[in-house]
Amino acid sequence: MKKQLALFGLAVPLLAAPAIAQVPPTGREVMETHKMQDRTQDTEAEIRMTIISARGGTRERDIVMWTKTRSDDTQMQLIRFQSPADVEGTGFLSIENLGREDDNWLYLPALRKTRRIAGADKRDSFVGTDFSFEDLEPERLDSYEYRLAGSEIVEKSETWVVEATPTDPKKIEETAYGGRQLWIDKKNGVMRRSEFYGRDGTFLKRLNAEDVRPVPGTDKWRAYRLTMEDILGGSRTVLEISSYHIDEGVPEEYFTQRYLRRR
Amino acid sequence: MAGVVSERFYRLILAHPLWVIAAIATLTVFLGWQARRVELNSSIEAFFPEGHPAVTQDHEIKQVFDSRELILVALLNEDGVFNPRTLTKVRDLTQEIWGLAVATDRDAQRLEAWADRLGPPYQRPIQGILEDGLGASDRGPVNNLWIAIEEADIDSVNAGFRTFVDELRLKLSPVSDVISLAQVDNITATESGLDVHPPMSSVPESGDELAALTATVFENEMFVNGLVSEDSTGTVILVELSFYYDDHIDLAHALFRELEALASPYEGPEEVHLAGVPMVNVYTTKYMGGDLARLMPLVIVLVIVVMWFAFRTIKGALIPLAVVLVSIVWTLGVMAMVGRPLTLMTSVMPIILVAIGIADGIHVITEYQLKWARHRDRDQAIVATMRAMGAPVIFTSLTDMAGFGSLAISSVASIRDFGIFTSVGVLAALIFSLTFIPAMLKLMEPPHGRSLVTAGGRVTQFLERIGQIAIQHRRWVVIATVAASAVAALMLPRIQVGSRMVGYFKTRSKIVQASELINERFGGTEVLNVVIDTGRPDGLKEPEVLSKMAALQDSLEARVLVGYTTSLADYVRRIHYVMNNADPAFNRIPFEREQVLETDWQEVDGMEIEIEREVNVNGRDLIAQYLLLYENAGGDDILKLANFDYSKANVVAQIRTDHTPHLREVRQTAIDFAQREFAPDADVSFAGCSNLCIVADDLIIPSQLKSLGLALVVIAILLVLIFGSVRRGLFGLLPLVVTILMVFALLAAFGIFLDAVTALIASIVLGIGIDYSVHFLWRYETAHAKGGSVDAAVRETIVTSGRAIVFNSLAVATGFLVLLVSSFWPVIHIGWMVAGSMLIAAALALVLLPALLGIETRKAPNGQGEVI
């Protein structure tokens, strides 16, 4: 795996702009700017998911996703389906716990019931899309080793290219990836692209972030369109975010079973 | 018409015998070199012509549901499989099968050669791949190489390299899915909630754990008969190929060798068996190769023996033998060059070419012995022989080619190949007989003085008697023939059509045992896919559709031979059951309207209390939400049962037999059900090996009748042209028409099913048997033209041509009897039935033709039998 990434790295001219006598940042430093950009107290996002199969069939789903980060950096997340009509109101609630299994609940409106569900495997597909649960998690800087591999232009933006290799034993066990290559916008720390490699070095998926702009009323930049491609399988999933609401104070009670049950 | 091939032609050959032999030897070496590439293929697809709708539809359906052929690996343990040792084997086998790769050193060398050839862009990754040999650990890098090729500009990549890398990917991961107790979606409700996980994530050790696993497995009815046998003495690992067998036969065989090698250390006390359609194909191919290797030498030895009895000289035997061997080599060479495979049908062809080719040789050598005795000059004897025999040899070859060539219109590809390539072989034998034989005779010592006519005194006497009797009792001969034909015709409706795959094996080979055991204990080795197309997205989420699918499964399972069925309905029922706390009342598809208990909070006197009330909910929403839930829980097994937009469902039925009449009944059950319940809202179509077998059967009868009809017409026309008389032409045909009636009567009488292989018998008999009529009538014309009575001409014909016919039919019958040692039942049937029919055809030629000629003469006004 390392060999593979190193090989990719060679294609990138190291230390691209020595004209300005500036010391380039380390991989970790780049990721810290990303983390700064990414971190919020809470976020509400309205998302249209379009799943396009390799044979061209499409499925569209609209969801709203609320996340809240607690002081210990653990997350609570509520996802509610808006459409198609037959799954409207279906909800998934997950609460990350330090040191023990996460709690996951599901609400099926047609059954009028919440059910605890077994902790989803982080490698599993997120509601049938090409994203897995781990792809949507915030970056945990302490679980990876980051190496600056150069700089590149992505969609007219200058980016740092960073290679991320999992080092934390727990992470190594639960992740599907042997490594990732990340393109971080030099200007604002937004992730513009990532490529995911399997444990055996197979190039699995590519995520492209487009339509990156500031979220009105905040100092945060966000991609309003994310496309995940399954390289070998040929399917892809497009997430179009119609709105982000950042740090507007998502109530704590959203992340309760009782709220989950309320449609 | 005697000078069909001119004397100058033979003189030319006799002037340059060595050149002729050298030219033929060169051509033979070239075609022989091609022939080594000829492929053996026994898949059902090989039956069908390219682009047949049934095959196209089958491939489309397989693509929609991303399904390919399955191999079943069964672990059997009479003391039950739920013990740590057997379960460890299940887990380890599952893992090892996942890790299978069949790349060889040769692939590594080829990859290295590509790296050298292509240079920088691919050199480095290829070096990385080859660093520690080529194996499963290189899947990632090879996939990346593939992605790099795919993403590169199409013109910039060498097409050969692209194909090579694509194939290499398959070699490194020949298996696309492995399903076993250690790896299957089990939907359960646990204390922590709803879960989709394999029932056995780790091998249980304590008694409690084992009991818990047993309970888990048997609690889910989707596993019983599918993954474990009802009596728990067996469990199955399903291995899905990552390619279609038909597209990569070599790769498939490499994989099966590896699988067998991998499985064998797991034997004892557990039995490990491999079955499934691809395995049957592999074994069929293997036994076909074995048959050829065994039958060919045997038939050659037999022919030499028969020829020796006929000519009392080894040299005399060698020339006809050379004819047939060369015609076989040429035919196989041509097959390889046009890329057609040897199938169960065409594998019989070499034996038939021996039987036919030998005839030309026998007739020529017989004649040469006679002519030598008269002329005592080599060149003169050869030219005289060829002038006398050239015409009948050409005519019989033409009628043979008409008989077999008419199969070229068959809609069954392998029958078509059989017809075309047998004709090619006959043509090769003809060319060879007309060139090589005179050249060889020129170079060889002439035969010893012992003349043939005196050598067979008793045979001659016997034949003369027969001729006399036939002419004297001609009316009775005709009446008896008509009566026998009438009886035979009455039997025709009793002929049954049906074919098998595993059931074709005579021997109790491993695959037969494995298939029987698996059919006994599990759902069955044959698969029928019933595809239900609702024609509208999300159609499958309607409770009514799913309920009908479940009912369809019930009606299929009501048939004894259907051991297991599965569909999307099973998954929905299972989730409904699990989500309702495993209450048996909910082990069903949700209704259109379901009553559920809603819990809510209400403020009563400033206090919040939980209240419950019954509400009506929509069953369709429930199903949609269940499926979303299943997807979200990481389940992906339903991808093989429903298409992406939930408009089409795949109902899979496993059947415990491979006999098409039974498969047809199962399919009919589905058709009847669909007409009753689904029409006109949903379309039902079929796929899977079972369906292809049924469709192949349907092709046989009409196309065989058409071919046979065509052959009869063409041969009749040929005979009329050859003999310049309609009546003679029909005379010649008559013995064969009667013989073919007898063939079908025998099929009916012995309860032999008409299938693609046994359907060939009539054509073979017609093609070979017509020679007897041609030789007989030709000789009769010649004898009669010399003047003299009909009786004298018949007598002369019967002692010369009749003699050759007797020896020829004996030689052909003996040749075909060799097929009795084949490993396949239909081939064995061909063997004895053709052998028997040849004798019938010969007897009819010797008895019926004189009788007919006799009747014809008596009716002619001048009593001299002048024909029209």
Side-chain angles (χ1 to χ4, degrees):
Chain A
M1 177 61 231
K2 273 193 172 166
K3 179 169 276 142
Q4 203 60 36
L5 277 186
L7 222 149
F8 268 82
L10 277 172
V12 181
L14 270 171
L15 314 181
I20 314 159
Q22 208 177 34
V23 182
T26 63
R28 168 90 190 192
E29 282 162 0
V30 171
M31 292 312 291
E32 270 162 4
T33 64
H34 165 70
K35 186 79 189 170
M36 286 263 286
Q37 176 60 254
D38 201 42
R39 190 200 304 272
T40 58
Q41 296 283 315
D42 55 62
T43 304
E44 178 188 327
E46 285 175 61
I47 304 171
R48 159 155 293 189
M49 309 190 300
T50 310
I51 309 163
I52 302 143
S53 78
R55 299 170 55 81
T58 59
R59 282 179 190 164
E60 281 192 359
R61 286 160 184 178
D62 291 317
I63 60 169
V64 184
M65 191 159 109
W66 293 272
T67 46
K68 198 174 182 72
T69 310
R70 290 185 290 202
S71 53
D72 61 359
D73 205 29
T74 58
Q75 274 201 327
M76 302 187 290
Q77 185 180 65
L78 174 67
I79 294 164
R80 182 83 75 189
F81 280 79
Q82 312 280 82
S83 84
D86 55 17
V87 295
E88 188 191 343
T90 304
F92 291 101
L93 170 65
S94 63
I95 294 174
E96 202 180 359
N97 296 310
L98 273 186
R100 65 180 175 90
E101 285 271 296
D102 299 347
D103 289 313
N104 297 280
W105 285 275
L106 147 88
Y107 175 68
L108 296 188
L111 207 58
R112 301 289 199 273
K113 265 185 199 130
T114 56
R115 288 299 302 256
R116 184 187 273 274
I117 52 175
D121 193 321
K122 302 237 190 251
R123 287 169 284 191
D124 283 344
S125 154
F126 168 75
V127 291
T129 66
D130 292 295
F131 289 82
S132 58
F133 283 90
E134 64 174 317
D135 299 344
L136 296 169
E137 279 184 346
E139 193 74 20
R140 290 271 147 76
L141 297 191
D142 294 336
S143 302
Y144 292 91
E145 185 186 279
Y146 296 101
R147 198 183 73 79
L148 187 70
S151 70
E152 262 181 37
I153 309 265
V154 173
E155 303 270 320
K156 294 178 193 158
S157 299
E158 289 207 27
T159 61
W160 295 112
V161 185
V162 178
E163 289 169 6
T165 317
T167 50
D168 173 37
K170 186 167 173 279
K171 187 48 108 185
I172 290 174
E173 200 198 311
E174 69 184 20
T175 180
Y177 307 126
R180 291 172 300 148
Q181 187 145 330
L182 312 168
W183 283 256
I184 307 294
D185 198 316
K186 287 186 183 176
K187 198 170 62 188
N188 50 32
V190 171
M191 193 180 294
R192 304 297 301 245
R193 173 182 295 165
S194 6
E195 291 182 348
F196 303 79
Y197 292 86
R199 292 173 186 219
D200 64 355
T202 305
F203 182 15
L204 297 175
K205 300 198 288 191
R206 179 190 288 131
L207 175 65
N208 272 311
E210 291 155 295
D211 194 9
V212 177
R213 50 189 154 92
V215 177
T218 70
D219 58 351
K220 299 289 187 187
W221 290 66
R222 287 290 181 269
Y224 281 76
R225 185 183 162 90
L226 294 161
T227 306
M228 182 70 94
E229 282 175 85
D230 178 345
I231 302 291
L232 282 175
S235 58
R236 70 204 144 91
T237 299
V238 180
L239 302 187
E240 287 162 298
I241 296 95
S242 54
S243 70
Y244 283 106
H245 300 275
I246 291 177
D247 293 342
E248 291 183 8
V250 176
E252 194 90 16
E253 66 144 355
Y254 273 31
F255 305 98
T256 59
Q257 282 188 70
R258 195 175 145 184
Y259 187 81
L260 179 64
R261 213 180 322 194
R262 190 168 294 163
R263 281 172 302 148
Chain B
M1 275 187 96
V4 173
V5 178
S6 74
E7 191 174 327
R8 274 177 58 197
F9 175 77
Y10 298 116
R11 292 282 176 201
L12 201 65
I13 291 173
L14 293 181
H16 312 283
L18 282 173
W19 281 108
V20 171
I21 291 172
I24 289 190
T26 312
L27 188 58
T28 308
V29 167
F30 168 74
L31 287 169
W33 179 249
Q34 298 291 327
R36 98 211 118 85
R37 284 190 334 210
V38 82
E39 194 180 53
L40 293 172
N41 186 350
S42 49
S43 71
I44 181 75
E45 282 91 342
F47 276 57
F48 291 93
E50 202 111 335
H52 188 277
V55 178
T56 316
Q57 179 187 302
D58 194 74
H59 281 205
E60 273 169 18
I61 288 173
K62 278 176 177 161
Q63 271 177 9
V64 167
F65 299 107
D66 190 32
S67 75
R68 281 165 299 271
E69 287 113 324
L70 288 177
I71 296 174
L72 293 84
V73 181
L75 269 105
L76 306 181
N77 185 345
E78 291 312 316
D79 302 327
V81 292
F82 289 95
N83 67 74
R85 195 195 54 237
T86 309
L87 292 172
T88 306
K89 288 184 175 180
V90 171
R91 182 200 60 193
D92 293 352
L93 258 173
T94 306
Q95 273 169 10
E96 276 206 67
I97 292 170
W98 262 124
L100 265 181
V102 295
T104 59
D105 289 347
R106 221 182 102 69
D107 294 313
Q109 283 159 15
R110 285 178 67 193
L111 187 58
E112 203 166 2
W114 278 114
D116 292 343
R117 199 174 140 190
L118 296 172
Y122 297 110
Q123 223 161 14
R124 290 194 57 155
I126 290 178
Q127 277 162 5
I129 291 166
L130 289 173
E131 209 159 79
D132 49 352
L134 204 51
S137 64
D138 294 307
R139 283 173 187 169
V142 170
N143 276 336
N144 289 349
L145 192 61
W146 172 248
I147 293 162
I149 291 170
E150 283 284 272
E151 295 196 337
D153 182 16
I154 185 109
D155 297 327
S156 73
V157 184
N158 182 302
F161 180 55
R162 196 171 179 279
T163 315
F164 172 73
V165 174
D166 195 17
E167 179 105 354
L168 188 58
R169 288 170 65 213
L170 293 179
K171 284 183 172 167
L172 293 176
S173 18
V175 167
S176 68
D177 202 1
V178 184
I179 297 170
S180 74
L181 287 178
Q183 194 155 335
V184 65
D185 286 358
N186 183 28
I187 306 162
T188 50
T190 61
E191 306 89 75
S192 67
L194 187 96
D195 197 4
V196 181
H197 268 124
M200 183 176 81
S201 29
S202 64
V203 175
E205 286 180 4
S206 69
D208 287 354
E209 284 173 346
L210 281 168
L213 176 63
T214 315
T216 307
V217 169
F218 281 93
E219 186 268 337
N220 190 338
E221 46 197 57
M222 283 158 67
F223 295 149
V224 182
N225 279 338
L227 276 187
V228 291
S229 68
E230 236 161 297
D231 60 2
S232 77
T233 59
T235 179
V236 164
I237 300 170
L238 296 170
V239 183
E240 188 184 53
L241 309 186
S242 55
F243 53 91
Y244 294 114
Y245 174 87
D246 227 38
D247 298 341
H248 301 275
I249 294 178
D250 290 345
L251 177 56
H253 285 250
L255 170 63
F256 303 143
R257 274 195 300 277
E258 291 285 319
L259 257 182
E260 279 185 333
L262 186 154
S264 68
Y266 289 90
E267 298 256 10
E270 291 85 1
E271 288 178 37
V272 186
H273 293 280
L274 277 72
V277 171
M279 288 311 286
V280 175
N281 289 341
V282 168
Y283 272 92
T284 308
T285 313
K286 207 159 124 183
Y287 279 79
M288 257 162 57
D291 260 19
L292 279 175
R294 207 153 20 113
L295 296 181
M296 281 306 295
L298 202 56
V299 82
I300 287 168
V301 168
L302 267 172
V303 164
I304 291 178
V305 169
V306 171
M307 299 298 262
W308 194 79
F309 272 108
F311 300 121
R312 308 286 163 151
T313 142
I314 290 292
K315 259 185 283 182
L318 287 184
I319 291 180
L321 193 63
V323 176
V324 299
L325 291 184
V326 166
S327 69
I328 291 171
V329 169
W330 288 14
T331 310
L332 292 179
V334 171
M335 285 185 85
M337 282 175 77
V338 298
R340 295 302 304 168
L342 273 179
T343 60
L344 198 53
M345 268 124 280
T346 44
S347 73
V348 186
M349 195 179 61
I351 309 291
I352 292 168
L353 286 179
V354 168
I356 298 172
I358 218 86
D360 291 347
I362 291 181
H363 286 288
V364 174
I365 303 292
T366 309
E367 192 69 25
Y368 181 60
Q369 285 187 333
L370 287 168
K371 291 291 192 275
W372 170 255
R374 189 181 308 161
H375 295 283
R376 294 280 156 186
D377 172 84
R378 220 182 278 182
D379 279 22
Q380 255 188 332
I382 293 171
V383 171
T385 303
M386 297 314 291
R387 291 202 53 163
M389 294 314 297
V393 165
I394 292 172
F395 295 153
T396 53
S397 299
L398 284 177
T399 49
D400 285 349
M401 286 166 71
F404 291 110
S406 64
L407 292 171
I409 63 161
S410 173
S411 21
V412 180
S414 43
I415 292 183
R416 205 177 53 195
D417 286 353
F418 173 85
I420 293 172
F421 293 112
T422 308
S423 299
V424 168
V426 170
L427 185 64
L430 172 66
I431 294 172
F432 193 76
S433 295
L434 294 183
T435 55
F436 182 83
I437 291 187
M440 263 325 265
L441 288 176
K442 164 87 181 176
L443 294 181
M444 277 167 58
E445 281 294 307
H448 302 298
R450 263 183 99 190
S451 168
L452 156 108
V453 182
T454 52
R458 252 185 300 170
V459 177
T460 312
Q461 279 172 12
F462 174 70
L463 288 171
E464 278 183 330
R465 281 292 307 275
I466 288 186
Q468 273 171 359
I469 294 171
I471 294 181
Q472 270 168 21
H473 303 283
R474 54 191 173 274
R475 276 172 220 289
W476 285 111
V477 169
V478 173
I479 290 169
T481 310
V482 171
S485 306
V487 172
L490 286 175
M491 303 279 283
L492 295 187
R494 289 177 49 192
I495 295 178
Q496 289 170 284
V497 180
S499 41
R500 335 189 54 148
M501 300 282 282
V502 184
Y504 275 168
F505 291 96
K506 183 183 74 176
T507 44
R508 299 218 14 95
S509 64
K510 267 158 88 180
I511 185 68
V512 177
Q513 289 179 33
S515 304
E516 280 176 4
L517 281 167
I518 289 174
N519 280 333
E520 256 167 46
R521 302 195 198 196
F522 302 94
T525 50
E526 289 295 310
V527 172
L528 178 69
N529 300 90
V530 185
V531 176
I532 294 157
D533 184 355
T534 63
R536 50 192 185 277
D538 294 330
L540 298 178
K541 293 177 181 169
E542 291 160 21
E544 195 195 345
V545 172
L546 282 178
S547 304
K548 282 180 179 173
M549 269 164 58
L552 168 65
Q553 287 176 258
D554 290 342
S555 73
L556 287 173
E557 284 187 23
R559 292 204 155 270
V560 180
L561 287 169
V562 178
Y564 183 76
T565 64
T566 183
S567 81
L568 181 67
D570 292 324
Y571 285 79
V572 170
R573 175 166 53 198
R574 177 77 189 168
I575 300 172
H576 191 48
Y577 171 69
V578 166
M579 289 300 286
N580 286 288
N581 307 316
D583 178 349
F586 290 92
N587 195 6
R588 55 170 172 78
I589 304 291
F591 300 136
E592 293 286 338
R593 312 292 303 171
E594 288 270 343
Q595 290 221 318
V596 296
L597 273 183
E598 185 180 57
T599 342
D600 208 349
W601 285 267
Q602 267 190 357
E603 270 196 31
V604 178
D605 303 333
M607 273 176 59
E608 234 177 18
I609 58 159
E610 232 178 70
I611 56 143
E612 282 187 338
R613 60 170 176 268
E614 285 214 325
V615 287
N616 263 319
V617 296
N618 198 335
R620 193 189 174 288
D621 291 352
L622 204 49
I623 293 167
Q625 288 165 27
Y626 286 161
L627 292 173
L628 180 69
L629 162 67
Y630 176 80
E631 278 171 22
N632 192 54
D636 55 10
D637 286 357
I638 60 169
L639 293 175
K640 305 230 180 257
L641 301 173
N643 70 340
F644 197 69
D645 66 2
Y646 289 103
S647 62
K648 291 182 192 153
N650 175 21
V651 179
V652 183
Q654 278 175 255
I655 307 168
R656 290 176 163 139
T657 177
D658 63 342
H659 201 194
T660 46
H662 296 300
L663 298 177
R664 189 183 295 275
E665 284 169 25
V666 173
R667 191 180 75 165
Q668 195 57 44
T669 306
I671 292 173
D672 292 345
F673 183 92
Q675 269 168 2
R676 216 169 44 238
E677 304 288 340
F678 284 117
D681 299 339
D683 279 345
V684 173
S685 53
F686 299 91
C689 211
S690 305
N691 185 57
L692 287 181
C693 288
I694 300 169
V695 178
D697 268 9
D698 290 340
L699 292 178
I700 293 170
I701 292 236
S703 85
Q704 277 315 100
L705 286 179
K706 258 189 280 174
S707 295
L708 209 53
L710 179 68
L712 286 170
V713 168
V714 173
I715 288 176
I717 293 172
L718 278 174
L719 290 178
V720 168
L721 287 178
I722 290 169
F723 296 111
S725 145
V726 173
R727 197 187 305 174
R728 279 297 149 76
L730 295 182
F731 277 8
L733 206 55
L734 208 54
L736 270 302
V737 173
V738 176
T739 311
I740 288 171
L741 272 176
M742 300 290 172
V743 167
F744 286 119
L746 282 174
L747 281 175
F750 285 89
I752 296 168
F753 283 86
L754 193 63
D755 59 32
V757 186
T758 50
L760 296 177
I761 295 173
S763 296
I764 296 171
V765 168
L766 179 60
I768 305 176
I770 197 70
D771 293 3
Y772 304 157
S773 292
V774 173
H775 279 292
F776 192 96
L777 291 174
W778 184 259
R779 175 58 69 128
Y780 171 81
E781 294 256 287
T782 320
H784 193 238
K786 282 190 295 193
S789 70
V790 172
D791 289 13
V794 166
R795 197 170 308 128
E796 192 197 317
T797 307
I798 220 164
V799 296
T800 52
S801 193
R803 190 189 154 79
I805 289 172
V806 168
F807 279 115
N808 178 282
S809 62
L810 284 175
V812 171
T814 317
F816 272 93
L817 283 179
V818 166
L819 295 180
L820 294 186
V821 303
S822 163
S823 320
F824 301 98
W825 280 115
V827 177
I828 294 170
H829 293 321
I830 285 195
W832 72 264
M833 289 200 55
V834 173
S837 311
M838 276 359 284
L839 299 182
I840 297 176
L844 282 169
L846 293 180
V847 177
L848 189 59
L849 286 178
L852 289 170
L853 290 168
I855 291 174
E856 178 194 58
T857 317
R858 296 303 182 274
K859 278 186 180 165
N862 60 4
Q864 280 293 309
E866 283 316 316
V867 200
I868 311 166

